[in-house]
DNA sequence: GGAAACAACTAATAGCCATTAGTATACATC
DNA sequence: GATGTATACTAATGGCTATTAGTTGTTTCC
């Protein structure tokens, strides 16, 4: 009865609460191992009621993906909106790391998709990764791809993607091994320090 | 009738063929999303026949894990059997990378366990990772942990584990993005070159 | 050659899955 | 106040799940 919030923030709609619960579960268990009954349980409704908000399981999954992609696509677009300098690559990578720490679900979902497939996997690849690997659209006459001058592109792109993604997807094990929260502020700083060091090493790499 | 091999190699037993099929499926889909019916289909028998060889699904999973762990535990034991020099760490990491390329299933299985849990996950952590993170047993009076002198241990350990594991678990997506086999000989060489460069960068890192 | 062990099969179980149909309640609009 | 629209519910479906029981044929051993 006292739950009628008068504050500035709206109480989330049922559809939003479904998306929240489904995002966590899809990220943890993957598409096929996630049951609509469990999603409904977390929201506090019965599973057939989900169909008032989403056409079916696949549509719910697609909506979860769409919401995540909207957040995570921004940084790369911004990077490509100007000259790609080493400094801006560092800044871009740092932004991405912070984003994954703030919400680890996209990385987890992507990892499930890479391992097991599932609906819309190709769309995921195209929208999240393809832009990093393809030669960039020409800007000011020059066509540069990330890390191009190191001679190890696209392996360097994969390597740094691996660093960021696997930290997130392995976090439950690391939590156990470290005895501390892998998403704490200190942990984030340590990971960033290491990644920046490695990034500089790649910038200076001229071939063995 | 002509299938009675007279050659040196024995035809694999039914139990071994079950293990092979189950390993691939568990690695692809994870524990709960793998059905015994599908395992049986691949072997060419009916699912109740599996129970002639394994007590139940969990015992089959455990047997798959055991077989994989036997292969993958060797290199670290060997590394710790002597002085831990930078050169031997490089050699050890190279061995591990080659092992994961030869059989990507352990990395995939481990990734599923990290994301979703499942039976024996704690045992997996303890046997595969704990030795890398804990201070090593004293050998010749000195107690050294890997990467200790860089000041970023255990983050460096995690980072290189991430590099190796994620390359394997993301391989299906990379196959699509690269347009070539991520487990080919050339791909392996490229990955090794990059990892060695990064490893040397960490050895020389003294703190920002 | 009879006995025992082994490994395949079919049939049947209880439980969970996504999904549909039909129904009840509340709220907004005319 | 009547009429829709939205959103919850219960009940029921057919399919898939792991697992058990019981049966049949084949191999191994004395």
């Amino acid at each position: 009865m006292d739950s009628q919030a008068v504050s500035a923030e709206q109480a989330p709609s049922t559809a939003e609460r479904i998306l929240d619960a489904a995002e966590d579960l899809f990220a943890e268990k993957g598409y096929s191992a996630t049951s609509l009954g469990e999603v409904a349980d977390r929201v506090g409704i019965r599973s057939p009621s989900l169909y008032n908000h989403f056409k079916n399981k696949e549509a719910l999954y697609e909506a979860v993906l769409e919401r995540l992609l909207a957040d995570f696509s921004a940084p790369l677009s911004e990077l490509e909106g100007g000259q790609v300098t080493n400094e801006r690559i560092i800044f871009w990578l740092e932004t991405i790391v912070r984003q994954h720490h703030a919400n680890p679900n996209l990385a987890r979902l992507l990892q499930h998709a890479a391992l097991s497939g599932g609906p819309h996997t190709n769309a995921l690849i195209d929208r999240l990764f393809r832009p990093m690997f393809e030669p960039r659209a020409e800007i000011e006459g020059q066509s540069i791809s990330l890390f191009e001058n190191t001679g190890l592109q696209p392996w360097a792109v994969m390597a740094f993607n691996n660093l960021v993604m696997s930290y997130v997807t392995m976090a439950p094990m690391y939590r156990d091994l470290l005895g501390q929260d892998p998403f704490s502020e200190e942990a984030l700083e340590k990971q960033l320090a290491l990644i920046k060091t490695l990034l500089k090493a790649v910038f200076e790499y001229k071939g063995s």
Side-chain angles (χ1 to χ4, degrees), chain A residues 5-195:
Chain A
V6 200
S7 76
E9 336 190 331
Q10 297 275 348
S13 69
T14 303
E16 281 165 343
R17 289 191 300 132
I18 293 171
L19 280 174
D20 291 340
E23 183 184 304
D24 286 344
L25 283 167
F26 282 136
E28 179 185 334
K29 313 182 151 198
Y31 178 76
S32 68
T34 296
S35 83
L36 294 183
E38 204 171 349
V39 175
D41 278 350
R42 292 209 181 178
V43 179
I45 60 179
R46 307 296 180 128
S47 66
S49 302
L50 297 175
Y51 290 81
N52 287 323
H53 303 272
F54 299 94
K55 179 166 149 280
N56 53 25
K57 185 180 179 179
E58 189 174 333
L60 172 57
Y61 181 73
E62 193 176 350
V64 166
L65 281 187
E66 213 54 52
R67 199 174 61 159
L68 282 169
L69 282 174
D71 292 344
F72 279 81
S73 298
L76 186 59
S77 308
E78 190 187 337
L79 173 69
E80 298 197 330
Q83 191 121 29
V84 178
T85 61
N86 287 359
E87 287 74 21
R88 292 191 66 227
I89 290 179
I90 292 178
F91 177 78
W92 164 65
L93 198 51
E94 178 166 345
T95 305
I96 288 187
V97 172
R98 291 186 184 278
Q99 224 166 2
H100 280 292
H101 275 253
N103 184 4
N105 282 338
L106 179 67
R108 302 206 257 237
L109 236 143
L110 196 61
Q111 183 63 78
H112 278 294
L115 286 164
S116 317
H120 307 287
T121 297
N122 286 345
L124 255 183
I125 298 177
D126 288 344
R127 293 173 58 179
L128 216 64
F129 283 141
R130 193 84 62 192
M132 281 194 268
F133 284 85
E134 272 177 358
R136 301 176 49 248
E138 342 194 3
I139 294 167
E140 295 155 22
Q142 50 189 352
S143 171
I144 303 176
S145 54
L146 297 177
F147 298 98
E148 191 176 50
N149 53 342
T150 66
L152 278 177
Q153 207 262 351
W155 272 263
V157 178
M158 286 192 285
F160 283 92
N161 184 64
N162 291 342
L163 279 178
V164 179
M165 290 241 329
S166 188
Y167 183 89
V168 171
T169 59
M170 293 288 290
M173 285 195 175
Y174 291 151
R175 176 172 292 114
D176 207 58
L177 287 162
L178 295 172
Q180 62 173 267
D181 179 15
F183 296 121
S184 71
E185 198 58 42
E186 311 104 84
L188 171 60
E189 293 305 326
K190 292 268 192 183
Q191 200 207 358
L192 278 174
L194 191 68
I195 287 184

